[in-house]
Amino acid sequence: MSARISALSPSGVPLYQQVKRAVLAALANGEWPQGEAIPPEKNLAERFSVSIGTLRKAIDELVLENILVRHQGRGTFVALHAHNQYFFRYFRVVRHDGVKGYPTPELLGFRRTRASGEAREKLALAQGAYVFEFVNGLSLHGERVQVDTICVPEALFSGLTREQLRDRPGTIYSFYQEYFGVNVIGTAESVRATSADDIHAEWLGVEKGTPLLNVRRVAYTYNGRPVEWRVSRVNTERYEYIGQEHEPGQT
Amino acid sequence: MSARISALSPSGVPLYQQVKRAVLAALANGEWPQGEAIPPEKNLAERFSVSIGTLRKAIDELVLENILVRHQGRGTFVALHAHNQYFFRYFRVVRHDGVKGYPTPELLGFRRTRASGEAREKLALAQGAYVFEFVNGLSLHGERVQVDTICVPEALFSGLTREQLRDRPGTIYSFYQEYFGVNVIGTAESVRATSADDIHAEWLGVEKGTPLLNVRRVAYTYNGRPVEWRVSRVNTERYEYIGQEHEPGQT
DNA sequence: AAGTGGTCTAGACCACTAC
DNA sequence: TAGTGGTCTAGACCACTTA
């Protein structure tokens, strides 16, 4: 386990960034399990042959990214529920009383088609480009509360099948990553209020014309490349969407 | 202008936090105008009698908060449009094409009343406590698109009048700060879709029953104390609410 | 060439936690 | 009491910008 930074590479990459990568690698290796403390700062500084200050700068960033948690006097810990946090980053519907739940997905539709004008715009596709369009129903506490219409370029997801989607084990984004090497690293959402049309009324078990939340999301990978465009319809009779939150930063 | 930190107060507050406050005070004094460079780090470190490292930690936080911008080799600058950024932190409605605009406010109602059950809950008030409740209409490009019903505890805003609100120069939150010493430092929002009732239909110039976005916000000051509870109704026919955004952080 | 911020060191002492 | 992270120092050298 000689985890020394490789030759203090003169690559021009700051040392603390190299340290950060090394720590991430160790985490990925499962060297320090979730919820457990990582070695103290002094040890890590020695191990990577850097000063405490440099080591701390690397750890600082990992703490900012919610990958590690520091407790003064106790140690630095691998964040629990890193998976959970990641999950609820992208699923922002909770019950009116604030209770969160894991949604049960159900594939309601799947087809290969030419991209619509709006999909072309959001996904930066050429005219006539093909996309896969599928519909995902989400239930909370046994009740269907959200229906997503999801559009991805065929160019990035060639060979995608209805069965793969139906039988995928985890979240859609982890599926993208494992099966197609597509990493979602950012999203942008806008929200409107619209009326339920016939098909969504049926899917959500509400009357036609019921006000629904209409969440429109573009997901991006590296270099700002859009990889997914989705429209979510949410029945907010008993659930709500968590909007912008501003932490009380101590100014 | 002896801006020395007052006696290196043994108050237990970290030095770099004191330095940060001092820099903020200098900014508030207009000592360094917007868009201009502030003195180099060495000078500031001397002026505040701290080491470069400590000074940098203070500046780091101000950069993270978008109050300052660093340019390697050029200097550290007072962020332009800090006011703008601050403004659009709390006003998140844009046209469907993404164009932002400054809303024109109009006071549509004002009264002193006992807090409703929901207001009591959100504002952590005792039964029978009084609140000021006022209604603020917001227009973009000459069109009324949003109506806010705002509720603040009388205990924090004693003496608030309709005229003060109507004639206030800046945003509501800067008004809170200047006239009542109430600093809003954080917010939490949840979003639903609801139908327009009679009065909101009239205010927004839509038919009764039109789907409206229903944004519910609690604003907090220090120590997580709630100071304002508001419900915004937005006509999203031509405008939309900017939801959660995730920056592509470089992990 | 001079001046700026960016990175890095090798310590020190303090506050907090666990034993 | 021992060990942890939190803060702080007084420098050093590097990369970048401007003139």
Side-chain angles (χ1 to χ4, degrees):
Chain A
M1 288 264 183
S2 94
R4 187 75 165 282
I5 303 276
S6 57
L8 293 169
S9 63
S11 57
V13 178
L15 235 196
Y16 74 90
Q17 292 279 7
Q18 298 179 40
V19 173
K20 186 180 163 187
R21 295 227 163 239
V23 172
L24 277 171
L27 282 167
N29 278 356
E31 194 170 331
W32 310 308
Q34 279 211 354
E36 296 292 299
I38 68 175
E41 301 183 335
K42 264 181 206 168
N43 294 17
L44 288 177
E46 266 183 37
R47 165 168 164 177
F48 297 129
S49 308
V50 298
S51 75
I52 294 268
T54 302
L55 188 276
R56 277 186 67 84
K57 188 153 185 182
I59 301 293
D60 278 346
E61 297 211 346
L62 292 168
V63 168
L64 268 184
E65 292 171 21
N66 282 315
I67 293 169
L68 297 177
V69 181
R70 280 204 269 237
H71 291 286
Q72 185 175 8
R74 296 209 293 138
T76 303
F77 297 77
V78 184
L80 268 180
H81 311 297
H83 176 74
N84 281 20
Q85 291 189 352
Y86 190 76
F87 182 81
F88 286 108
R89 257 168 77 106
Y90 293 117
F91 180 72
R92 308 191 57 76
V93 171
V94 302
R95 213 162 61 186
H96 281 180
D97 61 11
V99 172
K100 292 181 175 181
Y102 281 93
T104 308
E106 194 172 349
L107 192 63
L108 301 175
F110 179 89
R111 63 179 180 142
R112 176 176 172 276
T113 178
R114 287 185 195 278
S116 69
E118 192 165 23
R120 280 213 316 279
E121 182 205 332
K122 302 295 185 184
L123 292 172
L125 296 176
Q127 193 145 20
Y130 279 91
V131 293
F132 293 109
E133 184 184 293
F134 55 98
V135 180
N136 202 32
L138 297 173
S139 299
L140 284 170
H141 309 107
E143 180 183 15
R144 173 87 50 75
V145 293
Q146 177 174 339
V147 172
D148 296 350
T149 301
I150 300 176
C151 209
V152 295
E154 187 190 35
L156 289 174
F157 292 84
S158 67
L160 176 66
T161 67
R162 180 192 308 264
E163 288 69 31
Q164 280 180 317
L165 268 174
R166 201 209 318 123
D167 303 331
R168 89 194 122 84
T171 68
I172 290 187
Y173 289 167
S174 64
F175 170 72
Y176 291 171
Q177 186 171 41
E178 283 175 40
Y179 285 72
F180 298 96
V182 171
N183 295 285
V184 169
I185 61 170
T187 58
E189 293 186 351
S190 67
V191 185
R192 306 177 186 177
T194 55
S195 296
D197 58 18
D198 282 307
I199 183 71
H200 285 93
E202 190 189 321
W203 276 331
L204 289 166
V206 298
E207 281 189 18
K208 182 179 174 181
T210 301
L212 297 179
L213 215 59
N214 189 292
V215 183
R216 314 158 83 77
R217 176 196 294 174
V218 181
Y220 299 91
T221 186
Y222 301 102
N223 300 114
R225 179 175 185 182
V227 295
E228 181 205 65
W229 155 241
R230 71 163 72 184
V231 179
S232 304
R233 270 95 174 178
V234 187
N235 176 4
T236 57
E237 216 174 314
R238 275 178 294 278
Y239 294 83
E240 62 191 12
Y241 171 88
I242 302 296
Q244 204 62 30
E245 287 178 21
H246 293 294
E247 297 298 320
Q250 55 245 9
T251 298
Chain B
M1 287 262 184
S2 94
R4 187 77 163 284
I5 304 276
S6 56
L8 293 168
S9 63
S11 57
V13 178
L15 234 196
Y16 74 90
Q17 293 278 8
Q18 299 179 39
V19 172
K20 187 179 163 189
R21 292 221 167 242
V23 173
L24 277 171
L27 282 166
N29 277 354
E31 195 170 333
W32 312 306
Q34 280 210 355
E36 295 292 300
I38 68 175
E41 300 183 336
K42 266 181 202 166
N43 294 18
L44 288 177
E46 265 183 39
R47 164 166 165 177
F48 296 129
S49 308
V50 298
S51 75
I52 294 269
T54 303
L55 188 274
R56 277 186 67 83
K57 188 153 185 183
I59 302 294
D60 278 346
E61 296 212 347
L62 292 168
V63 168
L64 269 184
E65 292 171 21
N66 283 314
I67 293 169
L68 298 176
V69 181
R70 279 203 269 237
H71 292 286
Q72 187 175 8
R74 296 210 293 138
T76 304
F77 296 77
V78 183
L80 272 178
H81 311 299
H83 178 74
N84 280 21
Q85 290 190 353
Y86 190 76
F87 184 80
F88 286 110
R89 254 167 78 106
Y90 293 116
F91 181 73
R92 309 190 58 76
V93 170
V94 302
R95 214 162 60 185
H96 282 178
D97 60 12
V99 171
K100 292 181 177 181
Y102 281 93
T104 307
E106 194 172 347
L107 191 63
L108 301 175
F110 179 88
R111 62 177 180 146
R112 175 176 173 276
T113 178
R114 287 184 194 276
S116 70
E118 192 165 23
R120 278 213 318 276
E121 182 204 332
K122 302 295 184 183
L123 293 172
L125 295 178
Q127 193 146 20
Y130 278 90
V131 294
F132 291 109
E133 184 184 293
F134 54 98
V135 180
N136 201 33
L138 296 172
S139 299
L140 285 169
H141 309 107
E143 181 182 15
R144 173 87 50 75
V145 293
Q146 177 173 340
V147 172
D148 296 351
T149 300
I150 300 176
C151 210
V152 294
E154 189 192 33
L156 289 174
F157 292 84
S158 66
L160 176 65
T161 67
R162 180 193 305 263
E163 289 67 32
Q164 282 180 316
L165 268 174
R166 201 209 318 123
D167 302 332
R168 87 194 123 84
T171 68
I172 290 188
Y173 289 169
S174 64
F175 170 72
Y176 291 172
Q177 187 171 41
E178 283 175 40
Y179 285 72
F180 299 96
V182 171
N183 296 285
V184 169
I185 62 171
T187 59
E189 292 186 351
S190 68
V191 185
R192 307 176 185 177
T194 55
S195 297
D197 58 16
D198 283 307
I199 182 70
H200 286 93
E202 191 190 319
W203 276 332
L204 289 164
V206 299
E207 282 188 20
K208 183 180 173 180
T210 302
L212 298 179
L213 215 59
N214 189 294
V215 183
R216 312 158 83 76
R217 175 197 295 175
V218 181
Y220 298 92
T221 186
Y222 301 103
N223 300 114
R225 177 174 185 182
V227 294
E228 181 205 65
W229 156 242
R230 70 164 71 184
V231 179
S232 305
R233 272 92 173 179
V234 186
N235 176 5
T236 57
E237 218 174 313
R238 275 179 294 278
Y239 293 83
E240 62 192 13
Y241 170 88
I242 303 298
Q244 206 61 30
E245 288 177 19
H246 293 295
E247 297 298 320
Q250 58 242 9
T251 297

